[in-house]
Amino acid sequence: MNKRFNIYNASFEEFIEMKNKIWQNIREIRGDEGEDLYLYGLPHLRNCTYERVDTLLARQSINEDNFRQSWVCEIIAIHWNNEPYGLDYNKFKRQYKKRSEDPESIETLKKIYVQGHNHKYNRHFQKTQVALKEDRFLSFWEWVTAHNDTKGPWRHWWDAVTSENRYKIGEMVEFRSTTSSNHVYEMYQHPYNTRYRYLRCIKRGEMKDIKQKVFIILDYNKHSPKKTYSYKKSQGSHKLVTILPIGSTETYHVPEQFVKISRKKAVKDARK
């Protein structure tokens, strides 16, 4: 069973094969991670849905004629197609083996934890902290749930740390059309306490003034971003670049994926 499962086209025998494979994968994961531990995102075979499947099969209430109409069978099919303990389980095992055996992986974890320090209450960062204290890589299930959470900060930091900087210091850039004042930061300093400094989004009026300007990249990762974004191969990650508008002394900070190489005519002429 190594293909997506369509409950409306599959036979009852194929359903049983798929169901048994999921059960086997869950038992294998729990055997490695700990039978009685709470594993985020991994159902227990005592889960009401899974237990009901076994009960109905034992009673022969599910059969060739009616399994396609059973809601529990449909849920198992959805889990097989979409969950990491289903169709892609062996692929994730191979990926994990490669990651866990790479001596650079622990160094990557350290960078993720240090640079993503403002997400320490996130479950995946907590697991990372425990792993680093024990001088080991994440366990299989810890890694696969963190890495598959593509909307979470852990995965965003993983991609940012393991990817090259998209731009070079000194390159001329401009804002992308999707860039708003929520993506551009300035350093705020309290007027009565110079030690009280933090990044804040610029005002919309200020964004309107600089929207069409050309900037020069001065630095990378001088500050930690307030928000993370999914990595895009064509645009980069959420790593902050420090930019300076041409003809100005005011610097700004923006995730690299919200700027692009400037194509303005004046810049093209200057490069000739």
Side-chain angles (χ1 to χ4, degrees), residues 28-45:
E28 183 176 307
I29 294 170
R30 289 201 170 275
D32 294 336
E33 305 276 342
E35 289 290 344
D36 298 322
L37 292 178
Y38 169 70
L39 300 178
Y40 174 77
L42 182 69
H44 207 287
L45 293 182

Side-chain angles (χ1 to χ4, degrees), residues 1 41 50 74 146 150 158 166 205 233 258:
M1 177 60 65
Y50 285 66
E74 186 173 359
T150 56
W158 176 275
R166 180 159 181 78
K233 187 175 181 180
F258 291 108

Side-chain angles (χ1 to χ4, degrees), residues 211-257:
K211 179 74 172 179
Q212 302 303 323
K213 286 186 175 291
V214 175
F215 306 86
I216 183 171
I217 295 181
L218 300 180
D219 202 355
Y220 246 97
N221 294 323
K222 188 174 182 180
H223 301 285
S224 182
K226 296 172 68 68
K227 184 178 179 181
T228 62
Y229 299 92
S230 297
Y231 174 78
K232 298 178 177 64
K233 187 175 181 180
S234 62
Q235 298 179 10
S237 69
H238 64 258
K239 290 183 284 190
L240 285 187
V241 292
T242 302
I243 56 176
L244 174 70
I246 300 299
S248 174
T249 59
E250 181 72 26
T251 59
Y252 300 93
H253 312 279
V254 59
E256 66 174 2
Q257 66 179 241

Side-chain angles (χ1 to χ4, degrees), residues 148-213:
N148 281 9
D149 184 10
T150 56
K151 295 184 179 181
W154 193 97
R155 173 60 186 272
H156 297 169
W157 275 110
W158 176 275
D159 290 336
V161 167
T162 55
S163 63
E164 297 289 335
N165 293 343
R166 180 159 181 78
Y167 305 106
K168 298 177 181 179
I169 305 301
E171 282 194 294
M172 299 291 190
V173 296
E174 58 186 88
F175 289 139
R176 294 183 181 274
S177 60
T178 55
T179 308
S180 72
S181 59
N182 294 325
H183 305 131
V184 184
Y185 307 106
E186 61 185 356
M187 181 58 68
Y188 172 77
Q189 181 173 296
H190 194 281
Y192 304 118
N193 185 352
T194 56
R195 292 181 299 178
Y196 185 52
R197 305 170 73 242
Y198 65 91
L199 290 181
R200 69 175 183 183
C201 295
I202 65 174
K203 298 176 181 178
R204 280 181 289 181
E206 188 174 0
M207 182 65 184
K208 185 177 180 181
D209 292 337
I210 65 172
K211 179 74 172 179
Q212 302 303 323
K213 286 186 175 291

Side-chain angles (χ1 to χ4, degrees), residues 47-57 59 62 71-72:
N47 173 288
C48 61
T49 301
Y50 285 66
E51 195 171 50
R52 182 159 181 78
V53 172
D54 284 334
T55 300
L56 292 176
L57 286 172
R59 294 175 181 172
I62 296 178
W71 65 270
V72 290

Side-chain angles (χ1 to χ4, degrees), residues 54-69:
D54 284 334
T55 300
L56 292 176
L57 286 172
R59 294 175 181 172
Q60 297 184 344
S61 299
I62 296 178
N63 54 51
E64 177 73 36
D65 298 324
N66 64 12
F67 81 98
R68 296 183 182 88
Q69 288 75 47

